Amino acid sequence: MIYELRFAVERDEYTALRSILIHSIKPYDLAFCEQFDEDEYAFLINGEAQEVLGFCDEISKRIPLSLNFKFLHFKNIESDDFKPSLVPDLPLVLDASLMQELSNDPNKLPKYLDNFECKDIPAALNECINRLKANNLVIKTALGNFKFGVNIEALSKESSQDAKLLFWDISMLKTHMRVESGQVEALASFEKPSMMLMPKEIFCDTLGGGIRECILPFDAFLSVLSAYCLKQDIAFSFFVKSSEEPFISYDQNLPKSHRIVVSKDGFILYDEISAKSLQEIINAHKMELEIKDASKNLQASSLIMFLSKKNEMFFWLRGDGVKSVLDFEFECSLHELFQEILATKDGDKLCENFKKHCPELYSSFQGSNEPTKKSKNIFDFLDSVAFILGFKNVHQLFANAYTYVRDKGPRIDYKIIKNEEDELKFNYILVLKSAMSFKIAGLDDATLCYGILDSLGEFLGNLIGDMGVNFHAKSVFIFGSLLGEKILFDKILHYMPKSMRLILPKSGFLDYQ
């Protein structure tokens, strides 16, 4: 009988999965063969049902959660071209079962690490704890040379702002950070990605406050060290890159490390930029964008939305050709924005009220004589909005928004208007007027900042839906570094139609530089 185990595989990543399956089948007297597709991998087994089920039970204990592969089905199939594969020589992968075994016996570490020279491993692990408590532990890990400290003050002032957080197990991360179930599953996956997380309010002082990049133990040594840390009530460590001599040094062949953003709906975005041009990104997603409308055998239209922190924002329709469906251009000069507010209906009254309730803020931008400063980047415009509302910059606006604990903020007006040429334009001045009105009303900073971003996400999600209907678009490709901000990523996906096919950027193609 032939049985098939089939997996969905991301980015042609088969190595770890193959290693687990092939090393697990060795004790069984079962012939197998493999089939490789672009995004699926099949492992075919020839044997009696009871023995095959025994093997499946074994691998169910070994296969970890993964970003790169997921189980699709197990079934009996008919196959006339089953040809047993030779057993390839693949590196041993630390699967879930082996990791537990290693935690129980740290002396097996050399089996999984390269260039690891340590004669007394338990003693070395205890010394790591002593050094960590003294904030002086440097380890050359599988991902680089890092200095670890229990307190952020142990790190240099220059690097403490960029310090990452390593939680020694998932329960400690869940205790200290605001995290959703989908984020927890991704962090605990075989690839051990990192992501930006916000501490719970009670731990803000302890964890340095603000959003910070977090990760779980990502190699064999750190995974074993975690048990020692937890016994000493050490829940987490800050870490930064270091040029100091390491106390422990080793190498380990690991999957590529990624920083990701996980939406509430479970979509994963790789927060990485390696593309050099916009055309390189479009070319990388050409196949996804050229899906045909089967009912008409025609090229289906698709929408392309680009939201970047550095590059020009655009919203395109891609069909027979490419055309812009909405003009995005923003005034970012404080002086000019003030003049534009005055030119609108009741703009003078708004400015007088703003002057009365926020005199210092009013004088800070009203007295500016900066000439017109046009930009096609919405991040630039949000920076001007942030300054007028009393924040240092747009980064502080996002930081305040991340402290908000509810799901819906006040509605800021984002609207589209038609200009004299009957072209659609974004009415950016209305955003500023709406935000100023809430500031006058005394709305707290966290709520106001969240409302600005929540409303922007709603506007963009609804815009995708409206243009999808108007132009019969079946799919939308959304990319750009601004999506790395989870608030905006979540809100766009929440408000856009679920019926539209969503295309997200591949790893490295979030933006271009």
Side-chain angles (χ1 to χ4, degrees):
M1 299 284 285
I2 308 297
Y3 295 88
E4 179 186 76
L5 286 161
R6 184 167 287 272
F7 300 84
V9 184
E10 295 289 336
R11 303 188 310 279
D12 300 324
E13 182 55 65
Y14 301 99
T15 306
L17 176 60
R18 291 182 68 208
S19 175
I20 293 169
L21 291 171
I22 290 168
H23 281 286
S24 297
I25 207 169
K26 285 181 180 179
Y28 295 84
D29 186 22
L30 293 169
F32 70 90
C33 71
E34 302 172 278
Q35 293 178 354
F36 301 89
D37 296 319
E38 184 179 338
D39 54 5
E40 290 188 5
Y41 165 71
F43 192 78
L44 276 60
I45 310 162
N46 188 358
E48 296 299 323
Q50 188 172 353
E51 196 169 15
V52 173
L53 289 172
F55 166 71
C56 290
D57 183 59
E58 174 67 19
I59 63 169
S60 70
K61 302 172 186 174
R62 293 184 175 276
I63 293 181
L65 291 171
S66 174
L67 301 179
N68 287 336
F69 53 84
K70 68 177 181 179
F71 176 71
L72 293 178
H73 67 238
F74 166 69
K75 64 182 181 182
N76 175 229
I77 64 169
E78 293 185 7
S79 177
D80 296 327
D81 57 350
F82 181 92
K83 295 179 181 178
S85 300
L86 296 175
V87 179
D89 184 18
L90 293 173
L92 189 62
V93 169
L94 261 177
D95 57 46
S97 178
L98 292 177
M99 191 64 247
Q100 185 60 50
E101 181 183 320
L102 184 58
S103 297
N104 295 333
D105 186 2
N107 287 311
K108 292 182 178 179
L109 267 171
K111 185 177 179 181
Y112 303 100
L113 299 177
D114 298 321
N115 305 315
F116 179 57
E117 298 177 2
C118 183
K119 294 180 180 179
D120 189 340
I121 294 174
L125 288 163
N126 283 317
E127 179 59 20
C128 281
I129 297 297
N130 294 333
R131 290 176 178 243
L132 189 58
K133 288 180 175 179
N135 296 312
N136 190 32
L137 175 61
V138 181
I139 303 177
K140 181 186 175 297
T141 73
L143 297 183
N145 203 61
F146 296 111
K147 182 176 182 179
F148 294 81
V150 175
N151 301 306
I152 199 168
E153 292 78 11
L155 309 174
S156 66
K157 291 182 179 179
E158 293 78 14
S159 60
S160 61
Q161 282 297 105
D162 298 323
K164 301 178 184 180
L165 265 172
L166 184 145
F167 286 90
W168 291 108
D169 78 352
I170 196 70
S171 65
M172 291 297 102
L173 183 139
K174 289 165 69 176
T175 297
H176 290 82
M177 309 303 286
R178 287 161 50 181
V179 64
E180 298 159 5
S181 59
Q183 293 176 301
V184 170
E185 289 185 6
L187 283 165
S189 67
F190 171 73
E191 293 80 12
K192 295 297 183 292
S194 65
M195 66 179 66
M196 304 300 290
L197 294 175
M198 189 76 185
K200 294 176 181 175
E201 187 174 0
I202 193 173
F203 297 113
C204 278
D205 291 340
T206 306
L207 296 175
I211 194 164
R212 195 174 292 276
E213 189 170 354
C214 300
I215 197 169
L216 292 172
F218 48 80
D219 63 33
F221 184 84
L222 293 176
S223 296
V224 171
L225 179 60
S226 65
Y228 284 69
C229 288
L230 294 170
K231 286 178 183 176
Q232 296 293 318
D233 294 323
I234 300 173
F236 57 83
S237 297
F238 296 96
F239 69 104
V240 294
K241 287 184 178 179
S242 175
S243 57
E244 297 178 32
E245 186 71 20
F247 169 62
I248 292 287
S249 177
Y250 54 83
D251 294 304
Q252 184 184 349
N253 184 24
L254 294 178
K256 183 183 175 183
S257 176
H258 297 280
R259 188 169 82 183
I260 63 174
V261 183
V262 181
S263 76
K264 285 187 176 182
D265 298 331
F267 290 100
I268 294 176
L269 185 74
Y270 289 84
D271 192 5
E272 299 160 358
I273 302 172
S274 60
K276 302 300 182 186
S277 69
L278 176 60
Q279 192 59 49
E280 186 180 350
I281 295 174
I282 300 298
N283 288 344
H285 300 85
K286 189 175 180 181
M287 287 184 62
E288 291 89 341
L289 289 167
E290 291 186 348
I291 299 297
K292 290 191 174 181
D293 186 337
S295 63
K296 301 176 183 176
N297 198 28
L298 297 173
Q299 182 71 46
S301 296
S302 56
L303 300 171
I304 303 177
M305 180 180 282
F306 181 45
L307 301 165
S308 176
K309 291 183 177 180
K310 294 183 178 180
N311 301 305
E312 291 186 2
M313 176 182 178
F314 61 74
F315 191 31
W316 289 347
L317 173 70
R318 189 179 192 275
D320 295 333
V322 175
K323 71 174 182 178
S324 175
V325 295
L326 183 61
D327 179 32
F328 286 102
E329 184 173 74
F330 314 96
E331 178 59 66
C332 298
S333 159
L334 303 182
H335 174 75
E336 291 299 318
L337 285 170
F338 176 69
Q339 296 303 316
E340 288 193 33
I341 292 172
L342 287 175
T344 63
K345 182 181 179 182
D346 296 326
D348 54 343
K349 293 179 182 178
L350 175 66
C351 289
E352 280 300 314
N353 276 334
F354 197 77
K355 181 179 180 180
K356 178 181 177 182
H357 290 86
C358 313
E360 292 183 3
L361 294 181
Y362 177 84
S363 61
S364 69
F365 75 86
Q366 189 273 339
S368 170
N369 59 0
E370 183 182 26
T372 183
K373 187 169 68 174
K374 300 288 186 181
S375 172
K376 290 187 179 248
N377 183 291
I378 197 168
F379 202 64
D380 291 341
F381 172 67
L382 289 175
D383 192 57
S384 298
V385 172
F387 187 82
I388 288 171
L389 296 177
F391 310 120
K392 290 180 181 178
N393 49 41
V394 65
H395 301 289
Q396 190 179 11
L397 187 151
F398 273 94
N400 282 326
Y402 279 115
T403 65
Y404 189 73
V405 294
R406 292 185 289 278
D407 284 335
K408 197 169 181 68
R411 295 299 89 187
I412 304 295
D413 288 331
Y414 287 82
K415 295 265 195 278
I416 295 172
I417 57 174
K418 286 187 178 181
N419 62 12
E420 294 81 1
E421 289 78 34
D422 212 31
E423 296 172 328
L424 295 177
K425 295 195 70 171
F426 175 53
N427 187 0
Y428 59 83
I429 206 67
L430 195 58
V431 176
L432 183 53
K433 289 180 67 178
S434 181
M436 288 171 65
S437 296
F438 279 111
K439 187 74 175 180
I440 291 168
L443 197 65
D444 67 276
D445 290 346
T447 305
L448 176 56
C449 292
Y450 188 87
I452 291 170
L453 300 178
D454 180 13
S455 300
L456 174 58
E458 181 179 24
F459 165 73
L460 294 172
N462 290 338
L463 182 63
I464 290 169
D466 292 343
M467 295 301 156
V469 170
N470 293 342
F471 296 105
H472 308 290
K474 305 294 183 184
S475 60
V476 58
F477 176 35
I478 312 174
F479 66 108
S481 54
L482 198 47
L483 294 179
E485 301 290 350
K486 178 173 164 59
I487 289 177
L488 201 54
F489 184 49
D490 269 342
K491 294 301 180 180
I492 293 172
L493 299 193
H494 174 72
Y495 289 110
M496 66 169 277
K498 302 299 183 284
S499 58
M500 290 192 74
R501 179 170 166 267
L502 175 65
I503 304 169
L504 291 174
K506 299 175 181 178
S507 175
F509 293 94
L510 176 66
D511 208 321
Y512 66 94
Q513 56 188 4

